[in-house]
Amino acid sequence: YQGELQTVRAIKYGYNYFDSSLLGDLNQDDIVNVLDVVFAVNFVLGAEELSTTQLQIADINDDGIVADQNVNLNFQVFYSILF
């Protein structure tokens, strides 16, 4: 494909290449913190519904499934910001 570099990358890397959402930031307040981890845990436990955008943000490992592995990754993102 020939075209603008960003468009070529978007095609190569998928639909969300231009999305500026911060992975793990489920409440979309531009910071990954304990509230985002709680959102992820509640979703996995079935106590919380997530929007389509939140599901994309929660799928940190980009495997198409939001599960306990994503909660663990979300916690690691949060923890790495602290230290």
Side-chain angles (χ1 to χ4, degrees), residues 8-66:
V8 172
R9 285 184 178 162
I11 291 168
K12 181 177 180 181
Y13 295 111
Y15 65 92
N16 62 352
Y17 178 78
F18 292 114
D19 187 5
S20 62
S21 300
L22 182 62
L23 281 179
D25 182 21
L26 297 181
N27 63 359
Q28 298 173 303
D29 62 355
D30 296 323
I31 186 168
V32 177
N33 57 27
V34 70
L35 296 176
D36 301 302
V37 176
V38 170
F39 257 103
V41 169
N42 285 341
F43 174 76
V44 169
L45 294 176
E48 187 80 45
E49 291 292 322
L50 298 179
S51 70
T52 302
T53 301
Q54 287 173 314
L55 287 170
Q56 292 170 351
I57 294 169
D59 186 14
I60 296 173
N61 63 354
D62 200 27
D63 65 355
I65 301 168
V66 177

